Amino acid sequence: MTAGETVRGLLELTRPVNVVAASVLTFIGAFVAGSVSEYPFAVAAAVAATGLAVGAGNAINDYFDREIDRINQPERAIPRGAVSPRGALVFSLVLFGAAVALALVLPRLAIAIAAINLAALVAYTEVFKGLPGVGNALVAYLVGSTFLFGAAAVGELGPAVVLFLLAAIATLTREIIKDVEDIEGDREEGLNTLPIAIGERRALLVATGLLLVGVAASPFPYFLGEFGAAYLALVVPAVAIMCYATYESFDDPTAGQEHLKYGTFLAAVAFIVGRGVIVFPV
């Protein structure tokens, strides 16, 4: 392997799209707290720490999952030989170290959230991933907590708590569907994921029920006066996309979990616009 291929492999380990998405969610958490302009350094540190931590978590996840990925994802960096397992481990530790350094400049609540999340990222694959539903719930918490981390960085949780709950529900739905997609490799590795424990269809029904709870709760930020009407205008098509994606997953879990991302992205836009019209009224 050339140096260029190795660098590309290391970048792939971080899942750049996920890194950017998580960083954006942290920024949204700070934004909905209404204090981005007052604490620009804290917001920048929180956003960067999130990106580094997510990249580190993805890299170490690939390190622990390298045998499963030889079956489920053979094109990933470690199975195809672009990065050695040891190289992936060292790379993840460097990213974790940088994330910790940035998090330590933030308020105590943000540091506490960062400490919990970093421990969870490291323990996820080896401790929680194979427990039916538990690993899924942990990932859902981690995604939702980016809103809390961003808000805590500027010292005010506020409406970020509601966003945490909604994001966690949507993520938990997607994680269950993704386990259905990966069931062959997970069974080969001896993991006991939710679809393996209770069956694929039942797991998808659980995912559907969770999403419906999120759909029912989605108007609450508007009714609580924390988001403007623009939020509703955008969140309605977002939940429609997510509902269709969940329905689609019964026939094609790969397409379903991919399309669920689009609905989640549109919901994130709804959070920004909906809060923006309150914080910056025309």
Side-chain angles (χ1 to χ4, degrees):
M1 286 289 174
T2 66
E5 291 172 322
T6 299
V7 171
R8 179 184 173 186
L10 290 172
L11 183 62
E12 287 177 14
L13 286 177
T14 67
R15 310 288 196 283
V17 173
N18 291 351
V19 166
V20 172
S23 300
V24 168
L25 295 184
T26 295
F27 176 82
I28 294 173
F31 178 76
V32 299
S35 303
V36 171
S37 59
E38 295 179 33
Y39 304 98
F41 177 76
V43 173
V47 168
T50 299
L52 289 166
V54 169
N58 286 329
I60 203 167
N61 183 60
D62 274 14
Y63 168 78
F64 287 124
D65 264 359
R66 58 192 183 277
E67 296 304 325
I68 298 177
D69 285 344
R70 294 186 198 284
I71 300 169
N72 286 340
Q73 306 284 349
E75 76 286 352
R76 284 187 173 172
I78 297 176
R80 76 169 191 269
V83 180
S84 69
R86 179 180 174 80
L89 179 60
V90 171
F91 179 59
S92 70
L93 293 176
V94 170
L95 294 182
F96 273 127
V100 169
L102 285 169
L104 289 176
V105 306
L106 299 174
R108 290 180 180 179
L109 179 58
I111 293 174
I113 294 172
I116 293 170
N117 289 6
L118 288 171
L121 282 167
V122 173
Y124 166 70
T125 301
E126 285 295 278
V127 179
F128 298 109
K129 186 175 181 179
L131 300 178
V134 178
N136 304 132
L138 182 61
V139 172
Y141 158 76
L142 287 169
V143 172
S145 69
T146 55
F147 289 115
L148 299 181
F149 184 56
V154 297
E156 178 61 52
L157 292 183
V161 175
V162 178
L163 301 191
F164 159 72
L165 294 172
L166 294 177
I169 290 172
T171 302
L172 182 53
T173 300
R174 181 173 176 267
E175 284 296 306
I176 293 173
I177 294 172
K178 195 171 186 305
D179 274 354
V180 173
E181 177 190 11
D182 291 342
I183 193 168
E184 180 182 344
D186 290 342
R187 184 179 282 124
E188 182 75 18
E189 192 64 19
L191 297 178
N192 190 27
T193 60
L194 192 65
I196 293 173
I198 68 174
E200 295 178 43
R201 183 171 179 80
R202 287 182 179 177
L204 289 171
L205 288 173
V206 170
T208 302
L210 288 167
L211 184 66
L212 291 177
V213 171
V215 169
S218 61
F220 275 77
Y222 171 74
F223 293 131
L224 293 173
E226 294 170 343
F227 286 3
Y231 166 76
L232 284 182
L234 289 170
V235 84
V236 168
V239 298
I241 291 171
M242 288 189 279
C243 286
Y244 172 76
T246 306
Y247 169 78
E248 181 183 35
S249 67
F250 282 85
D251 291 323
D252 188 348
T254 300
Q257 64 97 0
E258 281 295 326
H259 293 155
L260 199 60
K261 287 183 182 178
Y262 303 149
T264 304
F265 174 78
L266 184 56
V269 174
F271 298 155
I272 297 174
V273 175
R275 185 61 175 171
V277 298
I278 297 293
V279 177
F280 305 109
V282 178

